[in-house]
Amino acid sequence: MARVYNFSAGPAVLPEEVLLEAANEMLDYQGTGMSVMEMSHRSKPYQKIIDEAEQDLRDLMNIPDNYKVLFLQGGASQQFAAVPMNLMKNKVADYIITGQWAKKAYEEAKKYGTANAIASSADETFSYIPDCSDLPVSEDADYVYICENNTIYGTKFKTLPNTKGKILVSDVSSCFLSEPVDVTKYGIIYGGVQKNIGPAGVVIVIIREDLISDDVLPGTPTMLKYKIHADNGSLYNTPPAYGIYICGKVFKWLKKMGGLEAMKARNEEKAAILYDFLDNSKLFRGTVRKEDRSLMNVPFVTGDEKLDAEFVKEAEKAGFVNLKGHRTVGGMRASIYNAMPIEGVQKLVAFMADFEARNS
């Protein structure tokens, strides 16, 4: 069976050479006589795996020494509660609602204090990023929260919001490591890895050290305290060990590819191929305001639901899978993460052109 072009929003495509390397080490990791899946997380070989993964991530993102890197479980959704539990000292936080995941995080935060929606693009089905240059940031807000790339709606913050001196917390699940980032602009950057970095089951939290303390909301579960994980080097309990091992391999692959500057150039080239086609197509059209388009997730429609369904069906037969849009918006969506090769996008566009010729 040949490999398909997998445009899934997550769990998503991984670099083929990483998968082959992992397959090669499945029964015997570097002479240990066992798989990483079977290895004690307290062993020397595993300590080396997690230490190297952290160092490679620090190198890729230029993470300053006063930030901790935590490899956790529970996915990004668990952070919707962990963030307010650890940071809501004044019991006030401001949220910018640009899609379903920001909205879910906002709803969760309401359980722990006052959450204010200070900007939203819900009025136009989240098809744009609101102007965040002069927001009504609450004077006593503990932080301002964004979801930086919106997987479902295909939008991306090109400029970070002016938080007026407040801590910025960002969920970067679907744009993680897709381009260089200035970590110092954030208090916390976190993301589930199953879109752009590894298999589902790992969430990475990059947090400034001064935000880590025992001073958390009463009733915060031990497992949701950042301090517990920071003090124990992400090994307080058994971590998602195999997932972290794969992430580590992806970090090495990214370094080999030239790092995040090189990935950004590559991702811009891939996205341009698809967006240029959509902008000139008579059948297909993109659904996002041009200046707010994501490099990672590209939603599009024909304007006819039956034709959309037919396109998805034919595409799958042709080896382009998981192009169906999220159930809340319909249409199509091509997620073109780091590991999607450029020829996957070129071939998809050729298939779309052929479909258009046959259906116009």
Side-chain angles (χ1 to χ4, degrees):
M1 168 86 186
R3 295 266 295 163
V4 294
Y5 288 111
N6 178 10
F7 292 93
S8 169
V13 59
L14 284 165
E16 207 165 296
E17 64 186 78
V18 166
L19 296 175
L20 287 169
E21 213 174 278
N24 207 27
E25 294 174 343
M26 179 54 84
L27 295 178
D28 176 13
Y29 175 73
Q30 298 189 358
T32 58
M34 61 181 146
S35 172
V36 175
M37 270 189 200
E38 308 166 289
M39 192 180 280
S40 164
H41 62 295
R42 304 282 177 212
S43 66
K44 273 191 178 153
Y46 193 74
Q47 189 64 54
K48 187 168 182 267
I49 288 171
I50 196 168
D51 287 347
E52 273 189 26
E54 178 178 334
Q55 191 53 55
D56 286 337
L57 181 61
R58 284 185 176 277
D59 295 346
L60 283 164
M61 293 179 75
N62 296 318
I63 298 171
D65 291 343
N66 65 324
Y67 282 75
K68 290 277 191 199
V69 174
L70 310 176
F71 294 97
L72 308 175
Q73 303 184 54
S77 296
Q78 191 159 286
Q79 296 306 310
F80 299 168
V83 167
M85 283 177 163
N86 284 270
L87 297 194
M88 258 194 183
K89 317 292 186 203
N90 299 325
K91 296 271 192 106
V92 179
D94 289 349
Y95 281 70
I96 298 168
I97 315 291
T98 50
Q100 192 160 310
W101 304 113
K103 195 175 167 190
K104 283 187 173 177
Y106 162 68
E107 294 298 340
E108 192 71 17
K110 285 181 182 174
K111 296 175 182 176
Y112 308 105
T114 303
N116 304 303
I118 57 168
S120 171
S121 52
D123 60 332
E124 289 182 31
T125 330
F126 302 120
S127 59
Y128 70 100
I129 297 290
D131 177 6
C132 297
S133 57
D134 186 18
L135 296 166
V137 176
S138 312
E139 263 178 54
D140 52 352
D142 292 302
Y143 59 88
V144 175
Y145 182 103
I146 61 170
C147 180
E148 202 160 317
N149 186 90
N150 298 284
T151 325
I152 296 174
Y153 302 96
T155 59
K156 164 86 165 67
F157 279 83
K158 302 292 167 72
T159 308
L160 292 176
N162 173 7
T163 63
K164 303 187 176 172
K166 301 296 180 189
I167 294 158
L168 178 64
V169 175
S170 179
D171 172 355
V172 297
S173 295
S174 53
C175 59
F176 222 156
L177 300 182
S178 61
E179 55 183 48
V181 53
D182 180 355
V183 175
T184 63
K185 290 184 174 169
Y186 306 81
I188 295 180
I189 306 184
Y190 77 84
V193 305
Q194 72 277 10
K195 296 170 183 297
N196 218 18
I197 303 173
V202 185
V203 60
I204 297 172
V205 176
I206 301 161
I207 177 170
R208 212 171 63 212
E209 280 178 353
D210 61 295
L211 302 177
I212 302 171
S213 77
D214 281 322
D215 177 21
V216 295
L217 294 188
T220 298
T222 303
M223 283 299 290
L224 293 193
K225 291 178 182 173
Y226 292 135
K227 192 169 191 314
I228 287 284
H229 297 291
D231 288 350
N232 290 280
S234 300
L235 296 169
Y236 172 71
N237 67 323
T238 310
Y242 195 81
I244 294 167
Y245 152 78
I246 299 287
C247 292
K249 288 203 175 297
V250 172
F251 300 153
K252 288 197 186 304
W253 175 79
L254 285 167
K255 279 179 144 180
K256 196 173 115 184
M257 297 295 286
L260 301 192
E261 287 287 354
M263 287 320 294
K264 185 185 187 194
R266 200 179 127 137
N267 288 327
E268 284 175 340
E269 189 185 352
K270 284 190 298 193
I273 293 167
L274 187 45
Y275 284 126
D276 288 350
F277 174 79
L278 290 170
D279 290 342
N280 293 297
S281 170
K282 296 205 168 34
L283 179 64
F284 299 99
R285 65 172 180 85
T287 56
V288 173
R289 199 184 277 180
K290 276 187 185 181
E291 60 270 26
D292 299 324
R293 285 169 166 176
S294 164
L295 293 179
M296 297 284 100
N297 312 100
V298 184
F300 56 96
V301 293
T302 63
D304 177 340
E305 279 180 29
K306 276 187 186 158
L307 207 50
D308 286 354
E310 185 55 39
F311 171 79
V312 169
K313 200 169 105 187
E314 283 191 27
E316 191 157 332
K317 275 186 195 152
F320 307 102
V321 304
N322 294 313
L323 281 164
K324 192 174 181 203
H326 192 271
R327 61 187 180 278
T328 55
V329 289
M332 283 76 68
R333 171 182 53 183
S335 292
I336 49 176
Y337 298 122
N338 286 345
M340 172 57 67
I342 194 160
E343 60 269 20
V345 182
Q346 289 165 335
K347 286 178 178 172
L348 173 65
V349 163
F351 175 78
M352 290 168 76
D354 176 60
F355 184 87
E356 179 170 331
R358 289 183 285 111
N359 287 279
S360 55

